[in-house]
mmCIF file with all atom_site columns, all heavy atoms in Angstrom:
data_model
loop_
_atom_site.group_PDB
_atom_site.id
_atom_site.type_symbol
_atom_site.label_atom_id
_atom_site.label_alt_id
_atom_site.label_comp_id
_atom_site.label_asym_id
_atom_site.label_entity_id
_atom_site.label_seq_id
_atom_site.pdbx_PDB_ins_code
_atom_site.Cartn_x
_atom_site.Cartn_y
_atom_site.Cartn_z
_atom_site.occupancy
_atom_site.B_iso_or_equiv
_atom_site.pdbx_formal_charge
_atom_site.auth_seq_id
_atom_site.auth_comp_id
_atom_site.auth_asym_id
_atom_site.auth_atom_id
_atom_site.pdbx_PDB_model_num
ATOM 1   N N   . GLU D 1 12 ? 5.836  13.497 9.936  1.00 98.00 ? 12 GLU D N   1
ATOM 2   C CA  . GLU D 1 12 ? 6.703  13.409 11.026 1.00 98.00 ? 12 GLU D CA  1
ATOM 3   C C   . GLU D 1 12 ? 6.119  12.668 12.294 1.00 98.00 ? 12 GLU D C   1
ATOM 4   O O   . GLU D 1 12 ? 6.814  12.268 13.225 1.00 98.00 ? 12 GLU D O   1
ATOM 5   C CB  . GLU D 1 12 ? 7.307  14.789 11.423 1.00 98.00 ? 12 GLU D CB  1
ATOM 6   C CG  . GLU D 1 12 ? 8.281  15.290 10.373 1.00 98.00 ? 12 GLU D CG  1
ATOM 7   C CD  . GLU D 1 12 ? 8.761  16.627 10.471 1.00 98.00 ? 12 GLU D CD  1
ATOM 8   O OE1 . GLU D 1 12 ? 8.541  17.198 11.635 1.00 98.00 ? 12 GLU D OE1 1
ATOM 9   O OE2 . GLU D 1 12 ? 9.411  17.188 9.549  1.00 98.00 ? 12 GLU D OE2 1
ATOM 10  N N   . SER D 1 13 ? 4.752  12.496 12.332 1.00 98.00 ? 13 SER D N   1
ATOM 11  C CA  . SER D 1 13 ? 4.211  11.745 13.317 1.00 98.00 ? 13 SER D CA  1
ATOM 12  C C   . SER D 1 13 ? 4.451  10.251 13.190 1.00 98.00 ? 13 SER D C   1
ATOM 13  O O   . SER D 1 13 ? 4.154  9.441  14.113 1.00 98.00 ? 13 SER D O   1
ATOM 14  C CB  . SER D 1 13 ? 2.646  11.939 13.383 1.00 98.00 ? 13 SER D CB  1
ATOM 15  O OG  . SER D 1 13 ? 1.987  11.305 12.360 1.00 98.00 ? 13 SER D OG  1
ATOM 16  N N   . PHE D 1 14 ? 4.970  9.843  12.093 1.00 97.00 ? 14 PHE D N   1
ATOM 17  C CA  . PHE D 1 14 ? 5.455  8.395  11.922 1.00 97.00 ? 14 PHE D CA  1
ATOM 18  C C   . PHE D 1 14 ? 6.962  8.236  12.383 1.00 97.00 ? 14 PHE D C   1
ATOM 19  O O   . PHE D 1 14 ? 7.870  8.814  11.688 1.00 97.00 ? 14 PHE D O   1
ATOM 20  C CB  . PHE D 1 14 ? 5.353  8.038  10.384 1.00 97.00 ? 14 PHE D CB  1
ATOM 21  C CG  . PHE D 1 14 ? 4.012  7.892  9.997  1.00 97.00 ? 14 PHE D CG  1
ATOM 22  C CD1 . PHE D 1 14 ? 3.316  9.003  9.461  1.00 97.00 ? 14 PHE D CD1 1
ATOM 23  C CD2 . PHE D 1 14 ? 3.386  6.627  10.028 1.00 97.00 ? 14 PHE D CD2 1
ATOM 24  C CE1 . PHE D 1 14 ? 1.955  8.844  8.980  1.00 97.00 ? 14 PHE D CE1 1
ATOM 25  C CE2 . PHE D 1 14 ? 2.036  6.560  9.610  1.00 97.00 ? 14 PHE D CE2 1
ATOM 26  C CZ  . PHE D 1 14 ? 1.376  7.578  9.078  1.00 97.00 ? 14 PHE D CZ  1
ATOM 27  N N   . PRO D 1 15 ? 7.141  7.724  13.586 1.00 97.00 ? 15 PRO D N   1
ATOM 28  C CA  . PRO D 1 15 ? 8.544  7.707  14.081 1.00 97.00 ? 15 PRO D CA  1
ATOM 29  C C   . PRO D 1 15 ? 9.478  6.897  13.319 1.00 97.00 ? 15 PRO D C   1
ATOM 30  O O   . PRO D 1 15 ? 10.659 7.064  13.413 1.00 97.00 ? 15 PRO D O   1
ATOM 31  C CB  . PRO D 1 15 ? 8.269  7.129  15.520 1.00 97.00 ? 15 PRO D CB  1
ATOM 32  C CG  . PRO D 1 15 ? 7.123  6.297  15.428 1.00 97.00 ? 15 PRO D CG  1
ATOM 33  C CD  . PRO D 1 15 ? 6.175  7.077  14.409 1.00 97.00 ? 15 PRO D CD  1
ATOM 34  N N   . GLN D 1 16 ? 8.974  6.059  12.426 1.00 96.00 ? 16 GLN D N   1
ATOM 35  C CA  . GLN D 1 16 ? 9.863  5.203  11.584 1.00 96.00 ? 16 GLN D CA  1
ATOM 36  C C   . GLN D 1 16 ? 10.528 6.030  10.438 1.00 96.00 ? 16 GLN D C   1
ATOM 37  O O   . GLN D 1 16 ? 11.533 5.559  9.842  1.00 96.00 ? 16 GLN D O   1
ATOM 38  C CB  . GLN D 1 16 ? 9.040  4.135  10.859 1.00 96.00 ? 16 GLN D CB  1
ATOM 39  C CG  . GLN D 1 16 ? 8.194  3.322  11.749 1.00 96.00 ? 16 GLN D CG  1
ATOM 40  C CD  . GLN D 1 16 ? 6.768  3.832  11.747 1.00 96.00 ? 16 GLN D CD  1
ATOM 41  O OE1 . GLN D 1 16 ? 6.502  5.042  11.897 1.00 96.00 ? 16 GLN D OE1 1
ATOM 42  N NE2 . GLN D 1 16 ? 5.818  2.982  11.494 1.00 96.00 ? 16 GLN D NE2 1
ATOM 43  N N   . LEU D 1 17 ? 10.120 7.214  10.203 1.00 98.00 ? 17 LEU D N   1
ATOM 44  C CA  . LEU D 1 17 ? 10.637 8.015  9.104  1.00 98.00 ? 17 LEU D CA  1
ATOM 45  C C   . LEU D 1 17 ? 11.666 9.098  9.539  1.00 98.00 ? 17 LEU D C   1
ATOM 46  O O   . LEU D 1 17 ? 11.497 9.686  10.657 1.00 98.00 ? 17 LEU D O   1
ATOM 47  C CB  . LEU D 1 17 ? 9.502  8.729  8.341  1.00 98.00 ? 17 LEU D CB  1
ATOM 48  C CG  . LEU D 1 17 ? 8.409  7.832  7.792  1.00 98.00 ? 17 LEU D CG  1
ATOM 49  C CD1 . LEU D 1 17 ? 7.364  8.664  7.066  1.00 98.00 ? 17 LEU D CD1 1
ATOM 50  C CD2 . LEU D 1 17 ? 9.026  6.820  6.731  1.00 98.00 ? 17 LEU D CD2 1
ATOM 51  N N   . SER D 1 18 ? 12.653 9.221  8.738  1.00 98.00 ? 18 SER D N   1
ATOM 52  C CA  . SER D 1 18 ? 13.647 10.276 9.101  1.00 98.00 ? 18 SER D CA  1
ATOM 53  C C   . SER D 1 18 ? 13.611 11.325 7.903  1.00 98.00 ? 18 SER D C   1
ATOM 54  O O   . SER D 1 18 ? 13.552 10.963 6.770  1.00 98.00 ? 18 SER D O   1
ATOM 55  C CB  . SER D 1 18 ? 15.085 9.684  9.248  1.00 98.00 ? 18 SER D CB  1
ATOM 56  O OG  . SER D 1 18 ? 15.458 9.013  8.131  1.00 98.00 ? 18 SER D OG  1
ATOM 57  N N   . LYS D 1 19 ? 13.759 12.554 8.304  1.00 97.00 ? 19 LYS D N   1
ATOM 58  C CA  . LYS D 1 19 ? 13.719 13.671 7.384  1.00 97.00 ? 19 LYS D CA  1
ATOM 59  C C   . LYS D 1 19 ? 15.029 14.070 6.780  1.00 97.00 ? 19 LYS D C   1
ATOM 60  O O   . LYS D 1 19 ? 16.086 14.068 7.545  1.00 97.00 ? 19 LYS D O   1
ATOM 61  C CB  . LYS D 1 19 ? 13.163 14.917 8.082  1.00 97.00 ? 19 LYS D CB  1
ATOM 62  C CG  . LYS D 1 19 ? 13.098 16.182 7.392  1.00 97.00 ? 19 LYS D CG  1
ATOM 63  C CD  . LYS D 1 19 ? 12.471 17.311 8.226  1.00 97.00 ? 19 LYS D CD  1
ATOM 64  C CE  . LYS D 1 19 ? 12.451 18.604 7.540  1.00 97.00 ? 19 LYS D CE  1
ATOM 65  N NZ  . LYS D 1 19 ? 11.936 19.646 8.454  1.00 97.00 ? 19 LYS D NZ  1
ATOM 66  N N   . LYS D 1 20 ? 15.129 14.255 5.548  1.00 97.00 ? 20 LYS D N   1
ATOM 67  C CA  . LYS D 1 20 ? 16.325 14.642 4.846  1.00 97.00 ? 20 LYS D CA  1
ATOM 68  C C   . LYS D 1 20 ? 16.048 15.789 3.919  1.00 97.00 ? 20 LYS D C   1
ATOM 69  O O   . LYS D 1 20 ? 15.234 15.658 2.977  1.00 97.00 ? 20 LYS D O   1
ATOM 70  C CB  . LYS D 1 20 ? 16.983 13.476 4.045  1.00 97.00 ? 20 LYS D CB  1
ATOM 71  C CG  . LYS D 1 20 ? 17.379 12.353 5.012  1.00 97.00 ? 20 LYS D CG  1
ATOM 72  C CD  . LYS D 1 20 ? 18.312 11.408 4.367  1.00 97.00 ? 20 LYS D CD  1
ATOM 73  C CE  . LYS D 1 20 ? 18.638 10.365 5.529  1.00 97.00 ? 20 LYS D CE  1
ATOM 74  N NZ  . LYS D 1 20 ? 19.392 9.318  5.016  1.00 97.00 ? 20 LYS D NZ  1
ATOM 75  N N   . GLU D 1 21 ? 16.711 16.988 4.143  1.00 97.00 ? 21 GLU D N   1
ATOM 76  C CA  . GLU D 1 21 ? 16.480 18.113 3.293  1.00 97.00 ? 21 GLU D CA  1
ATOM 77  C C   . GLU D 1 21 ? 17.271 17.912 1.890  1.00 97.00 ? 21 GLU D C   1
ATOM 78  O O   . GLU D 1 21 ? 18.356 17.433 1.965  1.00 97.00 ? 21 GLU D O   1
ATOM 79  C CB  . GLU D 1 21 ? 16.853 19.342 3.944  1.00 97.00 ? 21 GLU D CB  1
ATOM 80  C CG  . GLU D 1 21 ? 16.045 19.671 5.181  1.00 97.00 ? 21 GLU D CG  1
ATOM 81  C CD  . GLU D 1 21 ? 16.355 21.027 5.900  1.00 97.00 ? 21 GLU D CD  1
ATOM 82  O OE1 . GLU D 1 21 ? 17.162 21.715 5.359  1.00 97.00 ? 21 GLU D OE1 1
ATOM 83  O OE2 . GLU D 1 21 ? 15.782 21.257 6.969  1.00 97.00 ? 21 GLU D OE2 1
ATOM 84  N N   . ILE D 1 22 ? 16.571 18.283 0.828  1.00 96.00 ? 22 ILE D N   1
ATOM 85  C CA  . ILE D 1 22 ? 17.184 18.284 -0.426 1.00 96.00 ? 22 ILE D CA  1
ATOM 86  C C   . ILE D 1 22 ? 17.156 19.604 -1.124 1.00 96.00 ? 22 ILE D C   1
ATOM 87  O O   . ILE D 1 22 ? 16.747 20.563 -0.394 1.00 96.00 ? 22 ILE D O   1
ATOM 88  C CB  . ILE D 1 22 ? 16.509 17.116 -1.374 1.00 96.00 ? 22 ILE D CB  1
ATOM 89  C CG1 . ILE D 1 22 ? 15.026 17.399 -1.533 1.00 96.00 ? 22 ILE D CG1 1
ATOM 90  C CG2 . ILE D 1 22 ? 16.781 15.761 -0.718 1.00 96.00 ? 22 ILE D CG2 1
ATOM 91  C CD1 . ILE D 1 22 ? 14.353 16.448 -2.516 1.00 96.00 ? 22 ILE D CD1 1
ATOM 92  N N   . SER D 1 23 ? 17.378 19.779 -2.362 1.00 93.00 ? 23 SER D N   1
ATOM 93  C CA  . SER D 1 23 ? 17.430 21.041 -2.992 1.00 93.00 ? 23 SER D CA  1
ATOM 94  C C   . SER D 1 23 ? 16.001 21.716 -3.153 1.00 93.00 ? 23 SER D C   1
ATOM 95  O O   . SER D 1 23 ? 15.029 21.070 -3.005 1.00 93.00 ? 23 SER D O   1
ATOM 96  C CB  . SER D 1 23 ? 17.998 20.877 -4.453 1.00 93.00 ? 23 SER D CB  1
ATOM 97  O OG  . SER D 1 23 ? 17.162 19.992 -5.154 1.00 93.00 ? 23 SER D OG  1
ATOM 98  N N   . LEU D 1 24 ? 16.076 23.021 -3.395 1.00 92.00 ? 24 LEU D N   1
ATOM 99  C CA  . LEU D 1 24 ? 14.864 23.839 -3.677 1.00 92.00 ? 24 LEU D CA  1
ATOM 100 C C   . LEU D 1 24 ? 13.873 23.864 -2.428 1.00 92.00 ? 24 LEU D C   1
ATOM 101 O O   . LEU D 1 24 ? 12.641 23.881 -2.656 1.00 92.00 ? 24 LEU D O   1
ATOM 102 C CB  . LEU D 1 24 ? 14.192 23.411 -4.879 1.00 92.00 ? 24 LEU D CB  1
ATOM 103 C CG  . LEU D 1 24 ? 15.060 23.478 -6.196 1.00 92.00 ? 24 LEU D CG  1
ATOM 104 C CD1 . LEU D 1 24 ? 14.320 22.886 -7.355 1.00 92.00 ? 24 LEU D CD1 1
ATOM 105 C CD2 . LEU D 1 24 ? 15.551 24.834 -6.425 1.00 92.00 ? 24 LEU D CD2 1
#
Side-chain angles (χ1 to χ4, degrees):
E12 290 173 11
S13 73
F14 290 88
Q16 310 94 311
L17 301 180
S18 60
K19 178 180 176 180
K20 298 197 179 173
E21 294 183 9
I22 58 173
S23 62
L24 304 172

